[in-house]
Amino acid sequence: QVHLVESGGGLVQTGDSLTLSCAASERPFSSYAAGWFRQAPGKDREFIAAINWIGDRAQYSHSAEGRFTISRDNRKNVLYLQMDDLKPEDTAVYYCAVVRSRSPTHIEVSEGDYDYWGQGTQVTVSA
């Protein structure tokens, strides 16, 4: 069983930055594609960003592209989401997820493709 623990969320103001972290228990971490999703109250879970096994390829949602950056450190077994220029509409619970990768280059962007999820971390952006 793979365990994921998110951290780094909090209350910030519009325009601020936050870095979310996701610590993974799987060994080796480099065998898993990974992604970030978020869910606001009353809304469906939304894809934010995904990264491949190696960590040299990424894909972003329209809302995240240009402001958010996904990265990973396979030696530390940690996934990151750097969020810049935060807006009130970014307020949500953020979840990390991983799945055993098909190849070192494959990226997964669909919620149903992921097998393991963290408990989530709250990000609140005030106006």
Side-chain angles (χ1 to χ4, degrees), residues 99-116:
V99 62
R100 190 74 164 82
S101 183
R102 303 177 186 180
S103 73
T105 59
H106 195 74
I107 294 177
E108 300 288 352
V109 300
S110 298
E111 180 179 357
D113 290 332
Y114 285 93
D115 292 331
Y116 306 100

Side-chain angles (χ1 to χ4, degrees), residues 8-11 18 20 39 41 90-94 120-125:
L11 175 62
L18 277 177
L20 305 183
Q39 187 169 25
D90 294 318
T91 296
V93 176
Y94 284 71
T121 185
Q122 177 71 47
V123 173
T124 302
V125 185

Side-chain angles (χ1 to χ4, degrees), residues 6 12 17 21 26 47 50 58 63 75-76 86-87 90-91 93 96 102 104 110 113:
E6 302 98 334
V12 297
S17 297
S21 299
E26 65 257 33
F47 166 76
S63 62
R75 286 174 289 185
K76 294 183 178 180
L86 285 163
K87 304 174 181 180
D90 294 318
T91 296
V93 176
C96 66
R102 303 177 186 180
S110 298
D113 290 332

Side-chain angles (χ1 to χ4, degrees), residues 4-105:
L4 305 173
V5 180
E6 302 98 334
S7 62
L11 175 62
V12 297
Q13 295 180 320
T14 297
D16 285 353
S17 297
L18 277 177
T19 299
L20 305 183
S21 299
C22 174
S25 66
E26 65 257 33
R27 301 288 187 279
F29 185 54
S30 59
S31 297
Y32 293 82
W36 287 95
F37 295 77
R38 69 186 182 189
Q39 187 169 25
K43 297 184 178 180
D44 294 331
R45 190 169 297 181
E46 173 191 11
F47 166 76
I48 298 300
I51 192 167
N52 68 324
W53 176 345
I54 296 176
D56 62 348
R57 297 182 181 183
Q59 188 168 332
Y60 300 90
S61 67
H62 183 266
S63 62
E65 191 168 12
R67 296 190 300 125
F68 295 1
T69 303
I70 187 171
S71 63
R72 65 194 298 167
D73 187 335
N74 289 336
R75 286 174 289 185
K76 294 183 178 180
N77 295 341
V78 178
L79 177 73
Y80 300 99
L81 182 67
Q82 174 67 43
M83 303 185 294
D84 297 320
D85 191 25
L86 285 163
K87 304 174 181 180
E89 51 263 43
D90 294 318
T91 296
V93 176
Y94 284 71
Y95 300 89
C96 66
V98 301
V99 62
R100 190 74 164 82
S101 183
R102 303 177 186 180
S103 73
T105 59

